[in-house]
Amino acid sequence: AQKVTQTQTSISVMEKTTVTMDCVYETQDSSYFLFWYKQTASGEIVFLIRQDSYKKENATVGHYSLNFQKPKSSIGLIITATQIEDSAVYFCAMREEDSSFSKLVFGQGTSLSVVP
Amino acid sequence: NAGVIQTPRHKVTGKGQEATLWCEPISGHSAVFWYRQTIVQGLEFLTYFRNQAPIDDSGMPKERFSAQMPNQSHSTLKIQSTQPQDSAVYLCASSFSDRVGNTLYFGEGSRLIVV
């Protein structure tokens, strides 16, 4: 069964610095999709970035990028030049290609605080 | 473009009463998902629909919970005889299709409090 683990419960960083959030996953499938979402203070869950397992190149969107290490089953989220408004809870999630249905499984989340 | 719309945003209900939550998916999206979020369990999958048809409800509590999608523009999650442990944020998401490569887009959630 698929499983997603985020071991960092909370992180605090100074504004304008770079932060990396860790995520490891378990799957028996050779093809899968990894996603990062951000949950704001209002509760809204916003899609940020994704990595397809068959792609070797790390995904990048704006100031978000991924560190995909397939042999380690790891998908880290890197936020560069952090801003106060990046403060939120970040969730890693996975969907397996070969599942009989396409359930998205989430990690427990990492709370990020960006301070001035 | 409007995102996923969920109503009500907040609902307080007495123990034993019924609660119905509504979701309007993004227009053109054929897959609709329901999740529940609590501090203890995190984000849990409940059920999903493809083209209005229920496909998987493996995450739904077997009693008291039901979900429907009567048309392509809305889905409902109904909880009968609510209990305090049903207190949670219920999130609806939609995607263009339910193929695994598709991204889910979430609504802002409905916070249910059972007193």
Side-chain angles (χ1 to χ4, degrees):
Chain A
Q2 59 190 103
K3 184 178 179 181
V4 178
T5 303
Q6 295 176 254
T7 57
Q8 300 159 303
T9 304
S10 63
I11 302 174
S12 182
V13 300
M14 298 289 289
E15 189 179 13
K16 300 179 184 177
T17 61
T18 295
V19 63
T20 298
M21 283 175 269
D22 301 327
C23 174
V24 293
Y25 56 90
E26 296 176 22
T27 179
Q28 302 299 319
D29 288 356
S30 59
S31 180
Y32 47 89
F33 301 84
L34 301 161
F35 303 82
W36 278 90
Y37 286 83
K38 165 185 176 181
Q39 186 168 35
T40 64
S42 71
E44 183 182 14
I45 296 179
V46 179
F47 165 71
L48 296 177
I49 190 170
R50 58 182 276 176
Q51 179 78 39
D52 301 348
S53 64
Y54 56 85
K55 293 185 178 179
K56 293 184 179 180
E57 187 174 311
N58 289 324
T60 298
V61 175
H63 74 146
Y64 302 107
S65 62
L66 297 177
N67 179 18
F68 181 41
Q69 299 184 58
K70 196 169 183 179
K72 295 184 179 180
S73 295
S74 171
I75 183 74
L77 173 69
I78 302 167
I79 307 176
T80 57
T82 52
Q83 303 164 13
I84 301 296
E85 50 266 34
D86 291 324
S87 297
V89 179
Y90 290 80
F91 291 96
C92 176
M94 177 175 70
R95 290 175 97 178
E96 293 174 322
E97 179 77 63
D98 295 332
S99 291
S100 57
F101 58 88
S102 52
K103 182 171 68 174
L104 185 65
V105 174
F106 287 87
Q108 287 296 100
T110 297
S111 177
L112 174 67
S113 294
V114 181
V115 298
Chain B
N1 288 331
V4 175
I5 298 171
Q6 290 189 249
T7 55
R9 292 293 317 280
H10 302 274
K11 184 175 181 66
V12 179
T13 186
K15 181 180 174 181
Q17 294 186 329
E18 181 178 288
T20 300
L21 309 175
W22 283 267
C23 170
E24 179 180 334
I26 294 172
S27 178
H29 282 192
S30 65
V32 173
F33 302 77
W34 284 95
Y35 280 78
R36 176 169 64 180
Q37 184 177 28
T38 60
I39 297 295
V40 174
Q41 297 296 332
L43 280 156
E44 299 176 281
F45 168 80
L46 294 177
T47 186
Y48 94 95
F49 297 84
R50 181 201 302 147
N51 293 320
Q52 301 169 228
I55 301 300
D56 176 44
D57 65 355
S58 60
M60 292 275 274
K62 296 306 177 188
E63 298 179 356
R64 304 187 295 105
F65 281 64
S66 63
Q68 295 182 329
M69 191 162 185
N71 57 61
Q72 63 184 10
S73 63
H74 92 273
S75 175
T76 58
L77 179 67
K78 182 180 293 185
I79 309 171
Q80 296 178 309
S81 185
T82 53
Q83 302 298 309
Q85 61 266 30
D86 299 331
S87 297
V89 176
Y90 290 85
L91 292 146
C92 178
S94 71
S95 65
F96 181 73
S97 79
D98 66 345
R99 288 179 61 83
V100 292
N102 278 252
T103 299
L104 270 65
Y105 295 92
F106 285 81
E108 294 186 302
S110 293
R111 181 176 295 277
L112 176 67
I113 298 173
V114 182
V115 298

